[in-house]
Amino acid sequence: MAAPRSEAAAAAAAAVGPSTRGGGASRLSRARCRWRWGLAGASCALLLPLLLLLCAPPSVAQKKKENLLAEKVEQLMDWSVRRSVIRMNGDKFRRFVKAPPRNYSVVVMFTALQPQRQCSVCRQANEEYQVLANSWRYSSVFSNKLFFSVVDYDEGADVFQQLNMNSAPTFMHFPPKGKPKRADTFDLQRIGFAAEQLAKWIADRTDVHIRVFRPPNYSGTIALALLISLVGGLLYLRRNNLEFIYNKTGWAMASLCVVFAMTSGQMWNHIRGPPYAHKNPQNGQVSYIHGSSQAQFVAESHIILLLNAAITMGMVLLNEAATSKGDVSKRRIICLVGLGLVVFFFSFLLSIFRSKYHGYPYSA
């Protein structure tokens, strides 16, 4: 009887065992589901604030910032429509150029145009600046991404002090974001202030390309017409005696004038458009010789022309004293005068060369 009971008990255990194991598996599955739902709920709790933040309407401060920017751009556009170059004092400069928010670039010319300042360079630079600003204002690509302005020393001396600026004219670019870098100050002393050079510099700093349009200038055409008329009239009056055309001395003088003009840098002046001289606004000192070997003033080219002419005159006198057959005492005087011209003016020319090319005489 014991054996049957054991078999019955085993059979009952086998029958109950699978159901018990099945119940444990179902409880484990329900626990896993609850854990997964809890994890999903925690993730939603973390992501929901972020989604609300992204989808939420802009704050009051953001709206105020956008309204201020729109107001500034609208005001600048209104001024630009009236005048291509916006005149600014200290308050306008700080509000529209220095203070954020900004999504536009501003090119500012710091100058001193009042007559009592006697800044001829400022007037010349201002003319080129006006040509550039008008070319941008009336171009087909004109937009609110770039504005031109000017700050005069007598209207914004505080701005000059704020920027530690002690010379004029000076051109600076103020980018939409951040502070101006070194390259945002135009190298006027080396490049000059021609409108084309300013446009190239602006293209490098802002990617805004401005095609310069200059108003028609007929002065060159009129001067050429007058010159041709003068020469034609002279030839007509001397039509019976044209031997002067074969005058070697006259042609030599004309050739020397062309040589002096080219060797003194007149062509460089025509291409680069440098100022005539530079006046320091702090002490009023005027410089006629540029301190760098990479640039020059117009007055400097005139000085070099006169020095070359004086040296050439001395060489001509020395040649005359050596080849002529006149009185010996007269030839000696001519020789001394020629030698004095060459020595004095060549020494002056060499001193200018040393002041511009630092380190001369060069050593091996």
Side-chain angles (χ1 to χ4, degrees), residues 210-272:
I210 304 175
R211 183 180 178 184
V212 177
F213 294 94
R214 293 185 176 274
N217 185 3
Y218 302 105
S219 59
T221 305
I222 295 174
L224 180 61
L226 291 176
L227 179 62
I228 294 176
S229 301
L230 180 62
V231 173
L234 180 61
L235 292 176
Y236 178 77
L237 293 176
R238 299 288 300 273
R239 61 186 181 276
N240 296 326
N241 185 10
L242 299 179
E243 294 181 0
F244 69 94
I245 297 179
Y246 304 98
N247 190 328
K248 295 181 179 179
T249 304
W251 286 109
M253 295 296 295
S255 301
L256 284 176
C257 290
V258 174
V259 171
F260 292 153
M262 295 298 105
T263 56
S264 62
Q266 294 295 335
M267 185 60 66
W268 192 92
N269 295 340
H270 180 74
I271 296 174
R272 296 296 183 90

Short mmCIF file of all heavy atoms in Angstrom, two decimals, residues 210-272:
data_model
loop_
_atom_site.label_atom_id
_atom_site.label_comp_id
_atom_site.label_asym_id
_atom_site.label_seq_id
_atom_site.Cartn_x
_atom_site.Cartn_y
_atom_site.Cartn_z
N ILE A 210 30.88 95.77 -52.91
CA ILE A 210 30.34 97.05 -53.38
C ILE A 210 31.08 97.45 -54.65
O ILE A 210 32.31 97.52 -54.67
CB ILE A 210 30.50 98.15 -52.32
CG1 ILE A 210 29.84 97.72 -51.00
CG2 ILE A 210 29.91 99.46 -52.81
CD1 ILE A 210 30.05 98.70 -49.87
N ARG A 211 30.33 97.70 -55.69
CA ARG A 211 30.91 98.20 -56.93
C ARG A 211 30.87 99.73 -56.89
O ARG A 211 29.80 100.34 -56.78
CB ARG A 211 30.13 97.68 -58.13
CG ARG A 211 30.71 98.11 -59.47
CD ARG A 211 29.89 97.56 -60.62
NE ARG A 211 30.41 98.01 -61.90
CZ ARG A 211 29.84 97.73 -63.07
NH1 ARG A 211 28.73 96.99 -63.10
NH2 ARG A 211 30.37 98.18 -64.19
N VAL A 212 32.04 100.33 -56.97
CA VAL A 212 32.15 101.77 -56.81
C VAL A 212 31.75 102.47 -58.10
O VAL A 212 32.26 102.15 -59.19
CB VAL A 212 33.59 102.17 -56.41
CG1 VAL A 212 33.72 103.68 -56.32
CG2 VAL A 212 33.97 101.51 -55.08
N PHE A 213 30.82 103.41 -57.99
CA PHE A 213 30.39 104.24 -59.11
C PHE A 213 30.78 105.68 -58.80
O PHE A 213 30.32 106.26 -57.81
CB PHE A 213 28.88 104.15 -59.33
CG PHE A 213 28.41 102.80 -59.78
CD1 PHE A 213 27.96 101.87 -58.86
CD2 PHE A 213 28.44 102.45 -61.12
CE1 PHE A 213 27.54 100.61 -59.27
CE2 PHE A 213 28.01 101.20 -61.54
CZ PHE A 213 27.57 100.29 -60.61
N ARG A 214 31.62 106.23 -59.63
CA ARG A 214 32.06 107.61 -59.43
C ARG A 214 31.27 108.55 -60.33
O ARG A 214 30.95 108.19 -61.48
CB ARG A 214 33.55 107.77 -59.72
CG ARG A 214 34.45 107.03 -58.73
CD ARG A 214 35.91 107.32 -59.00
NE ARG A 214 36.76 106.68 -58.01
CZ ARG A 214 37.08 107.23 -56.85
NH1 ARG A 214 36.62 108.46 -56.56
NH2 ARG A 214 37.84 106.61 -55.99
N PRO A 215 30.96 109.74 -59.84
CA PRO A 215 30.28 110.71 -60.71
C PRO A 215 31.21 111.12 -61.85
O PRO A 215 32.43 111.12 -61.69
CB PRO A 215 29.99 111.90 -59.76
CG PRO A 215 30.98 111.75 -58.65
CD PRO A 215 31.20 110.27 -58.49
N PRO A 216 30.66 111.43 -63.00
CA PRO A 216 31.52 111.79 -64.15
C PRO A 216 32.35 113.03 -63.86
O PRO A 216 31.87 114.02 -63.32
CB PRO A 216 30.50 112.03 -65.28
CG PRO A 216 29.20 112.32 -64.59
CD PRO A 216 29.22 111.52 -63.33
N ASN A 217 33.64 112.93 -64.21
CA ASN A 217 34.58 114.03 -64.01
C ASN A 217 35.20 114.37 -65.36
O ASN A 217 35.96 113.58 -65.93
CB ASN A 217 35.66 113.62 -63.01
CG ASN A 217 36.60 114.77 -62.67
OD1 ASN A 217 36.42 115.89 -63.14
ND2 ASN A 217 37.60 114.49 -61.86
N TYR A 218 34.84 115.53 -65.86
CA TYR A 218 35.31 115.95 -67.18
C TYR A 218 36.51 116.88 -67.11
O TYR A 218 36.91 117.45 -68.13
CB TYR A 218 34.17 116.65 -67.94
CG TYR A 218 32.94 115.79 -68.11
CD1 TYR A 218 31.80 116.00 -67.34
CD2 TYR A 218 32.93 114.74 -69.03
CE1 TYR A 218 30.67 115.21 -67.50
CE2 TYR A 218 31.81 113.94 -69.19
CZ TYR A 218 30.69 114.18 -68.41
OH TYR A 218 29.59 113.39 -68.56
N SER A 219 37.10 117.05 -65.95
CA SER A 219 38.23 117.98 -65.84
C SER A 219 39.42 117.48 -66.65
O SER A 219 40.12 118.27 -67.30
CB SER A 219 38.62 118.15 -64.37
OG SER A 219 38.97 116.90 -63.80
N GLY A 220 39.68 116.15 -66.63
CA GLY A 220 40.79 115.62 -67.41
C GLY A 220 40.57 115.79 -68.90
O GLY A 220 41.50 116.15 -69.64
N THR A 221 39.35 115.54 -69.33
CA THR A 221 39.05 115.71 -70.76
C THR A 221 39.19 117.16 -71.20
O THR A 221 39.74 117.46 -72.27
CB THR A 221 37.62 115.21 -71.04
OG1 THR A 221 37.49 113.86 -70.57
CG2 THR A 221 37.31 115.27 -72.52
N ILE A 222 38.69 118.07 -70.35
CA ILE A 222 38.80 119.49 -70.68
C ILE A 222 40.26 119.93 -70.72
O ILE A 222 40.69 120.69 -71.60
CB ILE A 222 38.00 120.32 -69.66
CG1 ILE A 222 36.50 119.99 -69.80
CG2 ILE A 222 38.24 121.81 -69.86
CD1 ILE A 222 35.64 120.65 -68.75
N ALA A 223 41.07 119.46 -69.74
CA ALA A 223 42.49 119.83 -69.71
C ALA A 223 43.21 119.30 -70.95
O ALA A 223 44.05 119.99 -71.54
CB ALA A 223 43.13 119.29 -68.43
N LEU A 224 42.90 118.06 -71.35
CA LEU A 224 43.53 117.51 -72.55
C LEU A 224 43.14 118.28 -73.80
O LEU A 224 43.98 118.55 -74.67
CB LEU A 224 43.15 116.03 -72.68
CG LEU A 224 43.73 115.28 -73.89
CD1 LEU A 224 45.25 115.28 -73.82
CD2 LEU A 224 43.19 113.86 -73.95
N ALA A 225 41.87 118.65 -73.87
CA ALA A 225 41.42 119.43 -75.03
C ALA A 225 42.11 120.79 -75.08
O ALA A 225 42.51 121.26 -76.16
CB ALA A 225 39.90 119.60 -74.98
N LEU A 226 42.25 121.43 -73.92
CA LEU A 226 42.95 122.72 -73.89
C LEU A 226 44.41 122.57 -74.29
O LEU A 226 44.97 123.42 -75.01
CB LEU A 226 42.83 123.33 -72.49
CG LEU A 226 41.43 123.81 -72.07
CD1 LEU A 226 41.44 124.29 -70.63
CD2 LEU A 226 40.97 124.93 -73.00
N LEU A 227 45.05 121.49 -73.82
CA LEU A 227 46.46 121.27 -74.18
C LEU A 227 46.62 121.06 -75.67
O LEU A 227 47.53 121.64 -76.31
CB LEU A 227 47.00 120.08 -73.40
CG LEU A 227 48.46 119.69 -73.68
CD1 LEU A 227 49.39 120.84 -73.29
CD2 LEU A 227 48.83 118.42 -72.92
N ILE A 228 45.74 120.23 -76.25
CA ILE A 228 45.82 120.00 -77.70
C ILE A 228 45.55 121.29 -78.47
O ILE A 228 46.23 121.59 -79.48
CB ILE A 228 44.82 118.89 -78.10
CG1 ILE A 228 45.23 117.55 -77.48
CG2 ILE A 228 44.74 118.77 -79.62
CD1 ILE A 228 44.25 116.44 -77.75
N SER A 229 44.60 122.08 -78.00
CA SER A 229 44.32 123.35 -78.67
C SER A 229 45.51 124.30 -78.58
O SER A 229 45.84 125.00 -79.56
CB SER A 229 43.08 123.99 -78.04
OG SER A 229 41.96 123.15 -78.16
N LEU A 230 46.16 124.32 -77.41
CA LEU A 230 47.33 125.20 -77.24
C LEU A 230 48.47 124.79 -78.16
O LEU A 230 49.09 125.63 -78.83
CB LEU A 230 47.77 125.16 -75.78
CG LEU A 230 48.99 126.03 -75.42
CD1 LEU A 230 48.68 127.51 -75.68
CD2 LEU A 230 49.37 125.82 -73.96
N VAL A 231 48.74 123.48 -78.21
CA VAL A 231 49.83 123.01 -79.07
C VAL A 231 49.48 123.24 -80.54
O VAL A 231 50.33 123.67 -81.34
CB VAL A 231 50.08 121.50 -78.80
CG1 VAL A 231 51.08 120.94 -79.81
CG2 VAL A 231 50.60 121.31 -77.38
N GLY A 232 48.22 122.97 -80.89
CA GLY A 232 47.82 123.20 -82.27
C GLY A 232 47.90 124.67 -82.65
O GLY A 232 48.36 125.01 -83.76
N GLY A 233 47.49 125.55 -81.74
CA GLY A 233 47.59 126.98 -82.03
C GLY A 233 49.03 127.44 -82.15
O GLY A 233 49.36 128.28 -83.02
N LEU A 234 49.92 126.90 -81.29
CA LEU A 234 51.34 127.27 -81.37
C LEU A 234 51.95 126.80 -82.68
O LEU A 234 52.72 127.55 -83.33
CB LEU A 234 52.08 126.66 -80.18
CG LEU A 234 53.59 126.95 -80.10
CD1 LEU A 234 53.84 128.46 -79.96
CD2 LEU A 234 54.21 126.21 -78.94
N LEU A 235 51.62 125.59 -83.09
CA LEU A 235 52.15 125.11 -84.37
C LEU A 235 51.60 125.92 -85.54
O LEU A 235 52.31 126.15 -86.54
CB LEU A 235 51.79 123.62 -84.54
CG LEU A 235 52.48 122.65 -83.59
CD1 LEU A 235 51.96 121.23 -83.81
CD2 LEU A 235 54.00 122.69 -83.77
N TYR A 236 50.37 126.34 -85.44
CA TYR A 236 49.79 127.14 -86.52
C TYR A 236 50.47 128.51 -86.62
O TYR A 236 50.76 128.99 -87.72
CB TYR A 236 48.29 127.30 -86.29
CG TYR A 236 47.62 128.15 -87.35
CD1 TYR A 236 47.33 127.62 -88.61
CD2 TYR A 236 47.28 129.47 -87.08
CE1 TYR A 236 46.72 128.40 -89.58
CE2 TYR A 236 46.66 130.26 -88.04
CZ TYR A 236 46.38 129.71 -89.30
OH TYR A 236 45.80 130.50 -90.26
N LEU A 237 50.75 129.12 -85.46
CA LEU A 237 51.40 130.42 -85.48
C LEU A 237 52.83 130.34 -85.97
O LEU A 237 53.35 131.28 -86.59
CB LEU A 237 51.36 131.05 -84.08
CG LEU A 237 49.96 131.42 -83.56
CD1 LEU A 237 50.05 131.93 -82.12
CD2 LEU A 237 49.32 132.49 -84.45
N ARG A 238 53.47 129.19 -85.68
CA ARG A 238 54.87 129.02 -86.10
C ARG A 238 54.98 128.11 -87.31
O ARG A 238 56.02 127.47 -87.51
CB ARG A 238 55.67 128.43 -84.94
CG ARG A 238 55.69 129.28 -83.66
CD ARG A 238 56.57 130.51 -83.85
NE ARG A 238 57.93 130.13 -84.15
CZ ARG A 238 58.87 129.87 -83.24
NH1 ARG A 238 58.55 129.97 -81.94
NH2 ARG A 238 60.09 129.54 -83.59
N ARG A 239 53.96 128.07 -88.12
CA ARG A 239 53.94 127.13 -89.24
C ARG A 239 55.03 127.42 -90.26
O ARG A 239 55.44 126.51 -91.00
CB ARG A 239 52.58 127.15 -89.93
CG ARG A 239 52.18 128.49 -90.53
CD ARG A 239 50.76 128.45 -91.07
NE ARG A 239 50.35 129.70 -91.67
CZ ARG A 239 49.87 130.73 -90.99
NH1 ARG A 239 49.75 130.64 -89.67
NH2 ARG A 239 49.50 131.85 -91.62
N ASN A 240 55.52 128.64 -90.31
CA ASN A 240 56.57 129.00 -91.26
C ASN A 240 57.96 128.75 -90.69
O ASN A 240 58.96 128.86 -91.43
CB ASN A 240 56.44 130.46 -91.68
CG ASN A 240 55.15 130.72 -92.43
OD1 ASN A 240 54.67 129.85 -93.17
ND2 ASN A 240 54.56 131.90 -92.23
N ASN A 241 58.05 128.45 -89.40
CA ASN A 241 59.34 128.22 -88.75
C ASN A 241 59.16 127.15 -87.67
O ASN A 241 58.85 127.46 -86.52
CB ASN A 241 59.89 129.52 -88.15
CG ASN A 241 61.28 129.32 -87.60
OD1 ASN A 241 61.91 128.29 -87.81
ND2 ASN A 241 61.76 130.32 -86.87
N LEU A 242 59.35 125.92 -88.04
CA LEU A 242 59.16 124.80 -87.13
C LEU A 242 60.48 124.17 -86.69
O LEU A 242 60.53 122.99 -86.32
CB LEU A 242 58.28 123.73 -87.81
CG LEU A 242 56.86 124.18 -88.20
CD1 LEU A 242 56.12 123.04 -88.89
CD2 LEU A 242 56.09 124.65 -86.97
N GLU A 243 61.53 124.95 -86.71
CA GLU A 243 62.82 124.40 -86.31
C GLU A 243 62.86 124.06 -84.82
O GLU A 243 63.66 123.23 -84.39
CB GLU A 243 63.93 125.41 -86.64
CG GLU A 243 64.12 125.63 -88.13
CD GLU A 243 65.25 126.62 -88.41
OE1 GLU A 243 65.84 127.10 -87.41
OE2 GLU A 243 65.53 126.88 -89.58
N PHE A 244 62.00 124.71 -84.03
CA PHE A 244 62.03 124.44 -82.59
C PHE A 244 61.62 123.00 -82.27
O PHE A 244 61.91 122.47 -81.19
CB PHE A 244 61.10 125.42 -81.86
CG PHE A 244 59.64 125.19 -82.13
CD1 PHE A 244 58.86 124.40 -81.29
CD2 PHE A 244 59.03 125.76 -83.24
CE1 PHE A 244 57.52 124.21 -81.54
CE2 PHE A 244 57.69 125.57 -83.49
CZ PHE A 244 56.92 124.79 -82.65
N ILE A 245 60.92 122.35 -83.22
CA ILE A 245 60.54 120.95 -82.99
C ILE A 245 61.78 120.07 -82.91
O ILE A 245 61.79 119.06 -82.20
CB ILE A 245 59.60 120.47 -84.11
CG1 ILE A 245 58.29 121.28 -84.08
CG2 ILE A 245 59.30 118.97 -83.98
CD1 ILE A 245 57.31 120.89 -85.16
N TYR A 246 62.84 120.47 -83.58
CA TYR A 246 64.07 119.69 -83.60
C TYR A 246 65.06 120.16 -82.54
O TYR A 246 66.24 119.79 -82.59
CB TYR A 246 64.71 119.77 -85.00
CG TYR A 246 63.77 119.34 -86.10
CD1 TYR A 246 63.06 120.28 -86.83
CD2 TYR A 246 63.58 118.00 -86.38
CE1 TYR A 246 62.18 119.88 -87.85
CE2 TYR A 246 62.70 117.59 -87.39
CZ TYR A 246 62.01 118.54 -88.11
OH TYR A 246 61.13 118.14 -89.09
N ASN A 247 64.59 120.93 -81.59
CA ASN A 247 65.47 121.43 -80.52
C ASN A 247 65.75 120.31 -79.52
O ASN A 247 64.84 119.82 -78.83
CB ASN A 247 64.80 122.62 -79.82
CG ASN A 247 65.75 123.33 -78.88
OD1 ASN A 247 66.62 122.73 -78.28
ND2 ASN A 247 65.56 124.64 -78.76
N LYS A 248 66.99 119.89 -79.45
CA LYS A 248 67.36 118.79 -78.56
C LYS A 248 67.19 119.16 -77.08
O LYS A 248 66.79 118.33 -76.27
CB LYS A 248 68.80 118.36 -78.83
CG LYS A 248 69.02 117.79 -80.22
CD LYS A 248 70.47 117.36 -80.39
CE LYS A 248 70.69 116.76 -81.78
NZ LYS A 248 72.12 116.36 -81.98
N THR A 249 67.48 120.39 -76.75
CA THR A 249 67.38 120.82 -75.36
C THR A 249 65.93 120.77 -74.87
O THR A 249 65.65 120.32 -73.75
CB THR A 249 67.92 122.25 -75.19
OG1 THR A 249 69.29 122.29 -75.66
CG2 THR A 249 67.88 122.68 -73.73
N GLY A 250 65.02 121.21 -75.72
CA GLY A 250 63.61 121.18 -75.34
C GLY A 250 63.10 119.77 -75.10
O GLY A 250 62.41 119.49 -74.11
N TRP A 251 63.47 118.86 -76.02
CA TRP A 251 63.05 117.47 -75.84
C TRP A 251 63.71 116.83 -74.61
O TRP A 251 63.10 115.99 -73.92
CB TRP A 251 63.37 116.65 -77.09
CG TRP A 251 62.44 116.94 -78.23
CD1 TRP A 251 62.73 117.60 -79.38
CD2 TRP A 251 61.06 116.58 -78.30
NE1 TRP A 251 61.63 117.69 -80.19
CE2 TRP A 251 60.58 117.06 -79.56
CE3 TRP A 251 60.18 115.91 -77.47
CZ2 TRP A 251 59.27 116.89 -79.97
CZ3 TRP A 251 58.87 115.74 -77.88
CH2 TRP A 251 58.42 116.21 -79.10
N ALA A 252 64.95 117.22 -74.35
CA ALA A 252 65.63 116.69 -73.15
C ALA A 252 64.94 117.16 -71.88
O ALA A 252 64.77 116.38 -70.93
CB ALA A 252 67.10 117.13 -73.16
N MET A 253 64.52 118.42 -71.84
CA MET A 253 63.82 118.93 -70.67
C MET A 253 62.48 118.23 -70.48
O MET A 253 62.09 117.89 -69.35
CB MET A 253 63.62 120.44 -70.80
CG MET A 253 64.91 121.25 -70.80
SD MET A 253 65.79 121.13 -69.23
CE MET A 253 64.63 121.93 -68.14
N ALA A 254 61.77 118.01 -71.58
CA ALA A 254 60.48 117.31 -71.48
C ALA A 254 60.67 115.88 -70.99
O ALA A 254 59.90 115.37 -70.15
CB ALA A 254 59.78 117.32 -72.84
N SER A 255 61.71 115.22 -71.48
CA SER A 255 61.99 113.86 -71.03
C SER A 255 62.34 113.82 -69.55
O SER A 255 61.90 112.92 -68.81
CB SER A 255 63.13 113.25 -71.86
OG SER A 255 62.81 113.23 -73.23
N LEU A 256 63.12 114.79 -69.10
CA LEU A 256 63.49 114.84 -67.69
C LEU A 256 62.26 115.06 -66.80
O LEU A 256 62.17 114.48 -65.71
CB LEU A 256 64.52 115.94 -67.45
CG LEU A 256 65.95 115.64 -67.89
CD1 LEU A 256 66.84 116.87 -67.69
CD2 LEU A 256 66.51 114.46 -67.10
N CYS A 257 61.34 115.87 -67.27
CA CYS A 257 60.12 116.10 -66.47
C CYS A 257 59.34 114.80 -66.29
O CYS A 257 58.84 114.50 -65.20
CB CYS A 257 59.24 117.15 -67.16
SG CYS A 257 59.92 118.82 -67.10
N VAL A 258 59.24 114.00 -67.37
CA VAL A 258 58.54 112.71 -67.27
C VAL A 258 59.29 111.77 -66.32
O VAL A 258 58.68 111.09 -65.49
CB VAL A 258 58.38 112.08 -68.66
CG1 VAL A 258 57.78 110.68 -68.56
CG2 VAL A 258 57.53 112.96 -69.55
N VAL A 259 60.60 111.74 -66.43
CA VAL A 259 61.40 110.87 -65.57
C VAL A 259 61.26 111.28 -64.10
O VAL A 259 61.09 110.43 -63.21
CB VAL A 259 62.88 110.90 -66.00
CG1 VAL A 259 63.76 110.19 -64.99
CG2 VAL A 259 63.04 110.27 -67.37
N PHE A 260 61.32 112.59 -63.82
CA PHE A 260 61.17 113.06 -62.44
C PHE A 260 59.80 112.69 -61.87
O PHE A 260 59.68 112.30 -60.71
CB PHE A 260 61.37 114.58 -62.38
CG PHE A 260 62.79 115.01 -62.67
CD1 PHE A 260 63.04 116.28 -63.19
CD2 PHE A 260 63.84 114.16 -62.43
CE1 PHE A 260 64.34 116.68 -63.45
CE2 PHE A 260 65.15 114.56 -62.69
CZ PHE A 260 65.39 115.81 -63.22
N ALA A 261 58.76 112.83 -62.70
CA ALA A 261 57.41 112.51 -62.23
C ALA A 261 57.28 111.03 -61.89
O ALA A 261 56.68 110.65 -60.87
CB ALA A 261 56.38 112.91 -63.28
N MET A 262 57.86 110.16 -62.71
CA MET A 262 57.74 108.72 -62.48
C MET A 262 58.60 108.26 -61.31
O MET A 262 58.17 107.44 -60.50
CB MET A 262 58.12 107.95 -63.75
CG MET A 262 57.19 108.18 -64.93
SD MET A 262 55.48 107.63 -64.64
CE MET A 262 54.68 109.22 -64.40
N THR A 263 59.82 108.76 -61.21
CA THR A 263 60.71 108.31 -60.13
C THR A 263 60.34 108.90 -58.77
O THR A 263 60.79 108.38 -57.75
CB THR A 263 62.17 108.69 -60.45
OG1 THR A 263 62.26 110.12 -60.69
CG2 THR A 263 62.66 107.96 -61.69
N SER A 264 59.54 109.93 -58.75
CA SER A 264 59.14 110.52 -57.47
C SER A 264 57.89 109.86 -56.89
O SER A 264 57.50 110.15 -55.75
CB SER A 264 58.89 112.02 -57.62
OG SER A 264 57.82 112.26 -58.53
N GLY A 265 57.24 108.99 -57.64
CA GLY A 265 56.08 108.26 -57.12
C GLY A 265 54.74 108.83 -57.50
O GLY A 265 53.75 108.54 -56.83
N GLN A 266 54.67 109.62 -58.57
CA GLN A 266 53.40 110.20 -58.97
C GLN A 266 52.42 109.13 -59.43
O GLN A 266 51.21 109.23 -59.17
CB GLN A 266 53.62 111.22 -60.09
CG GLN A 266 54.40 112.45 -59.68
CD GLN A 266 53.66 113.30 -58.66
OE1 GLN A 266 52.44 113.25 -58.58
NE2 GLN A 266 54.40 114.04 -57.86
N MET A 267 52.89 108.08 -60.07
CA MET A 267 52.01 107.01 -60.50
C MET A 267 51.45 106.26 -59.29
O MET A 267 50.27 105.88 -59.27
CB MET A 267 52.78 106.05 -61.43
CG MET A 267 51.89 104.96 -62.03
SD MET A 267 50.53 105.63 -63.02
CE MET A 267 51.44 106.38 -64.37
N TRP A 268 52.28 106.06 -58.27
CA TRP A 268 51.81 105.42 -57.04
C TRP A 268 50.71 106.27 -56.38
O TRP A 268 49.72 105.73 -55.88
CB TRP A 268 52.99 105.23 -56.09
CG TRP A 268 52.71 104.34 -54.92
CD1 TRP A 268 52.89 103.01 -54.82
CD2 TRP A 268 52.17 104.76 -53.65
NE1 TRP A 268 52.52 102.55 -53.59
CE2 TRP A 268 52.07 103.60 -52.84
CE3 TRP A 268 51.77 105.98 -53.11
CZ2 TRP A 268 51.59 103.63 -51.54
CZ3 TRP A 268 51.28 106.02 -51.81
CH2 TRP A 268 51.19 104.86 -51.04
N ASN A 269 50.91 107.58 -56.38
CA ASN A 269 49.89 108.47 -55.83
C ASN A 269 48.58 108.36 -56.60
O ASN A 269 47.49 108.38 -56.01
CB ASN A 269 50.38 109.92 -55.85
CG ASN A 269 51.57 110.14 -54.94
OD1 ASN A 269 51.82 109.36 -54.03
ND2 ASN A 269 52.32 111.20 -55.18
N HIS A 270 48.69 108.26 -57.90
CA HIS A 270 47.48 108.17 -58.72
C HIS A 270 46.72 106.88 -58.46
O HIS A 270 45.49 106.86 -58.45
CB HIS A 270 47.86 108.27 -60.20
CG HIS A 270 46.69 108.19 -61.13
ND1 HIS A 270 45.79 109.21 -61.30
CD2 HIS A 270 46.27 107.17 -61.94
CE1 HIS A 270 44.86 108.84 -62.17
NE2 HIS A 270 45.13 107.61 -62.58
N ILE A 271 47.45 105.80 -58.21
CA ILE A 271 46.80 104.50 -57.98
C ILE A 271 46.26 104.40 -56.57
O ILE A 271 45.11 103.98 -56.35
CB ILE A 271 47.80 103.36 -58.27
CG1 ILE A 271 48.21 103.37 -59.74
CG2 ILE A 271 47.20 102.01 -57.88
CD1 ILE A 271 49.31 102.38 -60.09
N ARG A 272 47.05 104.77 -55.57
CA ARG A 272 46.69 104.56 -54.17
C ARG A 272 45.90 105.72 -53.57
O ARG A 272 45.17 105.54 -52.59
CB ARG A 272 47.95 104.32 -53.33
CG ARG A 272 48.71 103.06 -53.72
CD ARG A 272 47.89 101.81 -53.46
NE ARG A 272 48.61 100.60 -53.76
CZ ARG A 272 49.35 99.92 -52.90
NH1 ARG A 272 49.49 100.38 -51.66
NH2 ARG A 272 49.95 98.81 -53.25
#
